[in-house]
Amino acid sequence: MPSNVNYCYRFIELPKKPTGATVDYRSEYDRDYARVLHSPAFRRLQNKTQLFPGQESDFFRNRLTHSLEVSQIAKSLAKKLRAEYSGLNVEPDVCAIAGLVHDIGHPPFGHIGEAALDSCMKEYGGFEGNAQTLRILTRLEKKEYREPLFDEDGTDHRVGLNLTVRVIASALKYDERIPLHRREDEPLIKGYYDSESGIVDKVKECLIGDSPKNNFKTVECSIMDIADDIAYSVYDIEDAFKAGFLTPCEILSAEDFIFEKIAERMKRDGDDISAERCRSELINLFTNVWSDFVEQQKRISPDSEDFDYDTLGNFLNFYRLSKKIAGNGYYRTDLTSKLVNFFINGVEVELCNEHPILSKAFLKTNVKIKVNILKYFSYIRLINSPLLKIVESRGRELVEKMFRKLFESKGHFLLPDDVKYEFERANNESWRARVVCDFIAGMTDRYALEFYCRMFSENPQTIFKPL
């Protein structure tokens, strides 16, 4: 391990407490957790779509509740793995923070909002949700003030939440600098913006010294990534059960073309399995989980008639039980908790002796296949469904039209004062475009609709409502 490692380094040192002051009872990671939890960017996740639009029901998950669930799973995973691997250098608190922040960079209207902003920003470095997360944490949040904020040459001195480098690294999912320019037909890569490349270099220097390392990813980041996949694959399905969009039976008996699309996605991930194998993997997963579930329910309620038959031995009985599981809150949450527990127990670690912080958590192959099939089923069957695509289509139009209006000549006069200040300080078109992009990306779904209506609607809201 390099001698100059400083996991708790901050870009601005916090002021020392005066002599005689009360001893600070918090660790550096406690401070980071508090800074994230109290940040406006985190609060705004409460009105950003996870699967179903927030105005439909308060029951369904949004980006904030999803992030809380990812945080809890990540912290539990870290504690479990630390107990199992004696040489594992992992911080559960950092994993919890990584879960909180992993979606902070998502714009309004989900992935369609991300695609819309990237289309608008193609000539200026593009837009990517993970890169935006890093930018929010290290630039845009207003926790630590520096004077000046910007030099005349455009050098950015902002430090965002001024988090420790280990926490910043836990949000760095993709170690790739996004180019400022790309061809019209060239897809956007996942990574970090050129504007934050100096920060990434500093983080790497603090954590691994001068050691060259490709595909830099800390153990906390890999744990968070797994926790995100587990939460996404299970809880979107649970929301779909509650909404009446799906039952377990409908998952296993879905049309062939859905499993063919899942197989295509799996092949891109390096798992070359057939559509039939995808279906059988889910049948195997639910068979094992349901068998335990049925036996438990029989022990809890021995007089209940709900479980008096062979669960999978008869299609009609199987269908009836499937409807009960999807429609009954007790059964539904018990099923999903068993799925989460099954996936968590499928996580292993590959230790890195040279740089323990770069140890890698991963899902066993047979478990990873099941997680990914369930995740892609959710995406193809639900997120790409016409009912949700109609909502997304409107979101894309809103985002693109707002960007064009704000970026046109004198459009910046419509921006809030603090955003307008940065826009006017910008000394090139790329910077000005990024200012507009940052503003729109930070909007919630509701605020984006309100702001759009104030610019374009025949019935705008009162001018006295703050921007």
Side-chain angles (χ1 to χ4, degrees):
M1 183 185 300
S3 59
N4 63 336
V5 163
N6 185 353
Y7 292 154
C8 292
Y9 174 88
R10 295 179 189 273
F11 286 86
I12 296 179
E13 286 299 317
L14 297 175
K16 302 292 185 183
K17 283 185 174 291
T19 303
T22 304
V23 176
D24 196 339
Y25 55 88
R26 297 179 299 169
S27 71
E28 295 299 327
Y29 302 136
D30 287 335
R31 292 185 179 197
D32 284 355
Y33 189 92
R35 288 180 174 217
V36 169
L37 201 67
H38 295 289
S39 67
F42 183 70
R43 289 198 299 275
R44 284 196 289 265
L45 291 175
Q46 68 185 298
N47 199 240
K48 292 192 178 185
T49 298
Q50 173 63 20
L51 176 61
F52 298 115
Q55 69 270 18
E56 296 289 341
S57 169
D58 292 336
F59 174 88
F60 300 123
R61 290 165 173 86
N62 53 45
R63 288 282 175 184
L64 187 142
T65 57
H66 165 72
S67 297
L68 291 171
E69 288 171 336
V70 173
S71 176
Q72 184 276 320
I73 294 172
K75 187 171 184 176
S76 294
L77 258 176
K79 288 183 175 181
K80 174 181 181 293
L81 295 173
R82 190 166 65 172
E84 293 174 350
Y85 294 84
S86 59
L88 183 61
N89 177 14
V90 63
E91 285 287 343
D93 288 341
V94 174
C95 291
I97 300 168
L100 293 182
V101 304
H102 81 285
D103 269 354
I104 268 182
H106 273 265
F109 310 118
H111 293 291
I112 200 68
E114 187 173 6
L117 279 176
D118 181 54
S119 175
C120 296
M121 291 292 293
K122 185 162 283 191
E123 298 178 35
Y124 312 108
F127 178 86
E128 202 271 321
N130 299 285
Q132 193 68 17
T133 291
L134 184 66
R135 182 165 172 79
I136 288 170
L137 298 179
T138 61
R139 299 289 195 200
L140 303 182
E141 276 298 303
K142 300 176 176 66
K143 178 62 179 177
E144 298 284 350
Y145 182 75
R146 298 188 73 175
E147 184 64 43
L149 294 176
F150 310 99
D151 286 342
E152 291 298 325
D153 64 358
T155 302
D156 193 341
H157 294 293
R158 295 173 298 175
V159 293
L161 293 175
N162 192 25
L163 303 172
T164 59
V165 291
R166 187 161 188 164
V167 167
I168 294 171
S170 73
L172 189 62
K173 288 177 61 174
Y174 304 100
D175 184 21
E176 194 75 43
R177 184 188 302 191
I178 299 172
L180 280 172
H181 307 288
R182 70 183 198 269
R183 299 188 308 272
E184 185 66 28
D185 60 343
E186 190 177 359
L188 177 71
I189 64 171
K190 293 181 182 292
Y192 53 88
Y193 300 133
D194 183 77
S195 54
E196 281 68 67
S197 59
I199 291 174
V200 173
D201 291 342
K202 188 68 175 179
V203 167
K204 291 180 181 179
E205 178 187 345
C206 290
L207 296 182
I208 61 173
D210 298 328
S211 302
K213 187 69 179 176
N214 295 325
N215 299 318
F216 175 91
K217 189 172 188 176
T218 66
V219 63
E220 287 91 4
C221 185
S222 66
I223 288 173
M224 174 274 292
D225 217 2
I226 292 171
D228 185 26
D229 279 349
I230 291 174
Y232 172 30
S233 64
V234 174
Y235 293 130
D236 278 9
I237 293 292
E238 183 186 354
D239 277 359
F241 287 171
K242 172 65 176 179
F245 274 48
L246 280 178
T247 66
C249 182
E250 288 170 327
I251 293 177
L252 303 185
S253 61
E255 297 89 337
D256 289 342
F257 79 88
I258 290 180
F259 285 101
E260 288 166 2
K261 288 184 177 181
I262 292 172
E264 291 174 9
R265 297 292 295 266
M266 297 290 289
K267 189 172 183 178
R268 274 181 267 169
D269 289 346
D271 296 311
D272 192 2
I273 61 178
S274 66
E276 292 78 10
R277 167 86 183 277
C278 290
R279 190 191 299 274
S280 67
E281 287 287 348
L282 284 191
I283 291 174
N284 176 261
L285 172 65
F286 279 94
T287 298
N288 292 336
V289 172
W290 279 343
S291 296
D292 292 342
F293 170 72
V294 170
E295 289 305 314
Q296 176 183 316
Q297 293 304 321
K298 284 182 177 179
R299 289 193 299 271
I300 294 173
S301 305
D303 297 328
S304 173
E305 296 180 359
D306 286 354
F307 305 98
D308 281 349
Y309 41 74
D310 180 0
T311 309
L312 299 178
N314 178 284
F315 179 79
L316 181 57
N317 291 340
F318 168 53
Y319 176 77
R320 289 170 178 166
L321 177 58
S322 174
K323 293 284 284 185
K324 288 173 183 175
I325 289 174
N328 184 300
Y330 288 109
Y331 300 161
R332 187 172 56 240
T333 54
D334 190 79
L335 175 65
T336 54
S337 68
K338 281 181 166 53
L339 285 171
V340 171
N341 185 63
F342 175 79
F343 293 149
I344 284 177
N345 284 311
V347 179
E348 297 183 331
V349 171
E350 180 183 326
L351 295 174
C352 177
N353 295 323
E354 181 183 5
H355 300 294
I357 197 171
L358 298 185
S359 297
K360 180 184 178 183
F362 61 93
L363 286 162
K364 298 175 187 176
T365 301
N366 66 316
V367 178
K368 183 190 74 169
I369 286 174
K370 290 177 174 63
V371 169
N372 286 344
I373 291 173
L374 199 57
K375 180 174 69 173
Y376 292 142
F377 182 93
S378 174
Y379 185 85
I380 294 167
R381 178 65 171 78
L382 299 171
I383 296 175
N384 280 341
S385 70
L387 293 173
L388 295 181
K389 278 297 180 185
I390 289 175
V391 178
E392 278 194 353
S393 176
R394 186 174 67 162
R396 178 166 195 142
E397 181 181 358
L398 263 62
V399 168
E400 291 180 343
K401 194 171 179 180
M402 281 193 295
F403 185 93
R404 289 194 297 268
K405 182 68 175 177
L406 295 171
F407 194 46
E408 69 181 21
S409 177
K410 298 184 179 180
H412 68 284
F413 288 113
L414 303 174
L415 295 168
D417 288 340
D418 56 340
V419 183
K420 184 169 66 175
Y421 167 79
E422 184 185 350
F423 188 97
E424 291 173 342
R425 292 298 305 271
N427 56 18
N428 60 71
E429 191 174 72
S430 180
W431 186 0
R432 289 190 285 272
R434 185 60 64 185
V435 173
V436 174
C437 177
D438 288 340
F439 174 58
I440 295 175
M443 293 179 176
T444 64
D445 296 7
R446 182 184 298 121
Y447 182 83
L449 184 57
E450 287 181 1
F451 196 87
Y452 177 89
C453 290
R454 292 175 80 162
M455 287 195 294
F456 300 109
S457 174
E458 295 179 359
N459 300 298
Q461 297 195 18
T462 171
I463 64 170
F464 298 104
K465 187 172 184 177
L467 291 175

